[in-house]
C-alpha cells in the first residue's frame, strides 16, 4: 500500500471512530497517534501544555518517555513560536522540560507562581527573590564569614542580583569541601581545571543572557499588542444613548493600564478580566474628577465675571 492509500485509510478510520464517540469525548482522542503527533508539531508551547492536561492519553503521548518524536515536537514548537530561543536545553534538561522552564513562571524551590521569579542559568533554576536570599551569599558575606577562601570563589561561576555577584551555597560548599581535601600539588591541577570549566559556563551564560534580553523585548511587544487590541475593542462599546462608553484618552491615564504594559508575562483572558475591572473603576473616578474640575473652572470664571461687573 502506497503512502497516499495509507493516508486515505487512516482518515476513513478516524472518521468512523470519531462518529462513534460519545459527545462528551474530544474527537482528538480518536485520532491515530501518528496524526495526533503530527498536529502537535504545529502547536505553540502553551497549547501543548494545555493538551497534556486534557487527559492521560495526551499526557502520555507528549510527556512520557524521552523518544526522538516527543522531543522533536517540543523542539519545533520552541523554534517556531519562540524564535528568540535558538539555544538548546542546558545540560540535564530535555526539550519538554526546557520549554516548561522557559514559559512557566514558577519558583523551583517554593513552587509558587511569582511574577518576580527569574531564571538563574548558572544554577539552572527559576527562583523568587525570597528563595534566592536564603540559598545564596554575596561575595563579601562569604569572605567576611570565611566560609570559602577568595581563591576558590574566583574560580566559581556566580549569578547577579541588582548587579551584585552572588553564589549558590549548594554549588560552592561542595566545591569548597573538595578543595580542602586536595594536597598542595593537586590544588594547582584542580584550580586550572575549575578555571576552564567556569570559563565555558560563563561563555554559555553570556549567550543565554542575550537570548533573555531578546525574549523580554519580544514578549513585552506581544503583550502590548494584546492589551491594545483589547483596549480598542473596549473603546467600541456604546452606552444606551449611542455614545462611546470609554474614551481612549481617559483610559490612557489609568494607572492600571500603564502598569500592565510593564510586565512581560503573557496577557491572557484572565489578565484582561482583572484589568478591565480595574479600568472600569479608575475610568469612573477620572470622569468624576473631570466633571469636578470643569465645575470648578466654570465657578471661577463666573466669579471673575461678577467681580468685573461690580
Amino acid at each position: 500500500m502506497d503512502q497516499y492509500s495509507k493516508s486515505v485509510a487512516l482518515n476513513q478510520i478516524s472518521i468512523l471512530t470519531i462518529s462513534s464517540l460519545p459527545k462528551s469525548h474530544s474527537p482528538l482522542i480518536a485520532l491515530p497517534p501518528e496524526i495526533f503527533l503530527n498536529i502537535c508539531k504545529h502547536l505553540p508551547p502553551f497549547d501543548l501544555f494545555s493538551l497534556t492536561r486534557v487527559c492521560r492519553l495526551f499526557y502520555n503521548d507528549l510527556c512520557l518517555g524521552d523518544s526522538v518524536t516527543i522531543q522533536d515536537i517540543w523542539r519545533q514548537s520552541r523554534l517556531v513560536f519562540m524564535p528568540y530561543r535558538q539555544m538548546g536545553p542546558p545540560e540535564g534538561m530535555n526539550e519538554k522540560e526546557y520549554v516548561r522552564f522557559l514559559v512557566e513562571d514558577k519558583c523551583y524551590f517554593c513552587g509558587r507562581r511569582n511574577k518576580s521569579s527569574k531564571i538563574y542559568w548558572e544554577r539552572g533554576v527559576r527562583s523568587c527573590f525570597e528563595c534566592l536570599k536564603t540559598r545564596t551569599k554575596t561575595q563579601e558575606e562569604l569572605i567576611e564569614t570565611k566560609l570559602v577562601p577568595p581563591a576558590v570563589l574566583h574560580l566559581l561561576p556566580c549569578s547577579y542580583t541588582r548587579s551584585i555577584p552572588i553564589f549558590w551555597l549548594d554549588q560552592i560548599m561542595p566545591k569548597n569541601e573538595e578543595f580542602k581535601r586536595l594536597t598542595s600539588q593537586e590544588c594547582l591541577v584542580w584550580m586550572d581545571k575549575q578555571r576552564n570549566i567556569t570559563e565555558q559556563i560563563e561563555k554559555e551564560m553570556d549567550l543565554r543572557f542575550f537570548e533573555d534580553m531578546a525574549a523580554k523585548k519580544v514578549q513585552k511587544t506581544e503583550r502590548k499588542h494584546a492589551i491594545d487590541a483589547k483596549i480598542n475593542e473596549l473603546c467600541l462599546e456604546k452606552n444606551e444613548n449611542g455614545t462611546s462608553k470609554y474614551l481612549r484618552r481617559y483610559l490612557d491615564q489609568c494607572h492600571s493600564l500603564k502598569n500592565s504594559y510593564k510586565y512581560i508575562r503573557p496577557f491572557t483572558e484572565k489578565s484582561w478580566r482583572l484589568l478591565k475591572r480595574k479600568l472600569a473603576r479608575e475610568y469612573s473616578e477620572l470622569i468624576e474628577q473631570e466633571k469636578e474640575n470643569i465645575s470648578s473652572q466654570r465657578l471661577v470664571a463666573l466669579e471673575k465675571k461678577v467681580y468685573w461687573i461690580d
Side-chain angles (χ1 to χ4, degrees):
M1 184 181 291
D2 59 19
Q3 191 64 32
Y4 174 76
S5 301
K6 286 182 180 179
S7 177
V8 171
L10 282 173
N11 286 337
Q12 289 175 343
I13 292 171
S14 299
I15 292 169
L16 289 172
T17 312
I18 290 171
S19 62
S20 63
L21 274 175
K23 291 183 178 180
S24 59
H25 287 72
S26 169
L28 282 174
I29 295 176
L31 290 175
E34 298 83 359
I35 296 178
F36 173 72
L37 293 176
N38 191 46
I39 292 172
C40 291
K41 288 181 179 179
H42 305 282
L43 296 178
F46 284 103
D47 289 348
L48 289 177
F49 283 119
S50 296
L51 275 177
T52 63
R53 293 190 289 268
V54 169
C55 64
R56 185 172 294 277
L57 176 64
F58 292 169
Y59 178 84
N60 292 343
D61 285 343
L62 291 170
C63 297
L64 280 190
D66 203 23
S67 70
V68 175
T69 302
I70 291 176
Q71 298 310 311
D72 279 346
I73 289 172
W74 291 98
R75 183 183 299 106
Q76 183 168 331
S77 179
R78 169 175 62 83
L79 294 175
V80 172
F81 295 97
M82 304 170 71
Y84 41 83
R85 293 293 187 185
Q86 292 295 311
M87 293 183 70
E91 187 177 351
M93 281 189 197
N94 60 31
E95 279 290 342
K96 190 214 73 167
E97 293 167 342
Y98 182 42
V99 173
R100 183 182 291 278
F101 178 68
L102 292 173
V103 303
E104 192 172 55
D105 192 11
K106 179 181 176 182
C107 178
Y108 171 80
F109 300 105
C110 65
R112 289 188 292 119
R113 298 180 185 277
N114 193 316
K115 64 184 179 183
S116 64
S117 71
K118 179 184 173 183
I119 293 177
Y120 295 92
W121 291 107
E122 296 81 3
R123 178 64 175 77
V125 296
R126 269 187 183 273
S127 176
C128 62
F129 187 65
E130 290 76 14
C131 291
L132 179 75
K133 288 192 296 184
T134 61
R135 289 169 171 79
T136 60
K137 294 285 185 184
T138 65
Q139 183 172 317
E140 290 184 2
E141 289 173 333
L142 290 168
I143 293 174
E144 286 177 5
T145 56
K146 298 182 180 180
L147 280 174
V148 182
V152 176
L153 277 183
H154 294 153
L155 297 173
L156 300 176
C158 65
S159 299
Y160 287 88
T161 177
R162 298 170 184 171
S163 301
I164 299 173
I166 56 173
F167 294 85
W168 294 88
L169 294 176
D170 61 353
Q171 285 185 327
I172 63 170
M173 298 313 293
K175 288 290 183 182
N176 189 44
E177 292 301 318
E178 183 181 337
F179 179 76
K180 288 179 180 178
R181 293 193 295 268
L182 299 174
T183 64
S184 300
Q185 190 173 3
E186 290 172 334
C187 278
L188 295 175
V189 178
W190 183 89
M191 292 173 73
D192 188 53
K193 180 181 177 181
Q194 190 59 48
R195 186 180 294 108
N196 291 333
I197 292 173
T198 300
E199 285 177 359
Q200 292 299 318
I201 292 174
E202 288 177 345
K203 286 179 182 178
E204 182 182 341
M205 295 310 103
D206 287 342
L207 294 174
R208 293 198 182 276
F209 173 77
F210 285 119
E211 280 201 347
D212 286 346
M213 294 298 100
K216 287 178 181 178
K217 185 176 180 180
V218 171
Q219 289 166 345
K220 200 168 185 179
T221 301
E222 289 176 347
R223 180 182 173 89
K224 186 179 186 305
H225 289 164
I227 293 172
D228 285 340
K230 290 294 186 182
I231 295 297
N232 290 337
E233 290 178 9
L234 190 64
C235 291
L236 295 176
E237 293 185 12
K238 302 291 183 182
N239 290 311
E240 292 180 358
N241 59 5
T243 59
S244 296
K245 194 173 182 180
Y246 296 97
L247 296 177
R248 183 64 192 249
R249 67 175 181 271
Y250 291 117
L251 288 171
D252 286 337
Q253 297 177 42
C254 295
H255 293 295
S256 56
L257 180 59
K258 293 177 182 178
N259 290 333
S260 66
Y261 286 130
K262 297 177 182 178
Y263 303 120
I264 61 173
R265 59 182 181 272
F267 189 72
T268 62
E269 286 297 325
K270 182 180 178 181
S271 304
W272 170 237
R273 288 195 296 271
L274 294 172
L275 177 60
K276 189 176 181 180
R277 283 200 293 268
K278 293 178 182 178
L279 286 175
R281 184 178 65 253
E282 290 182 38
Y283 189 89
S284 298
E285 292 172 356
L286 279 171
I287 295 300
E288 289 301 318
Q289 185 64 45
E290 183 77 5
K291 289 178 180 178
E292 290 179 9
N293 292 340
I294 292 173
S295 298
S296 299
Q297 290 171 5
R298 286 177 177 173
L299 183 60
V300 170
L302 183 61
E303 289 175 348
K304 286 182 178 179
K305 187 175 181 180
V306 171
Y307 173 80
W308 284 108
I309 291 174
D310 291 344

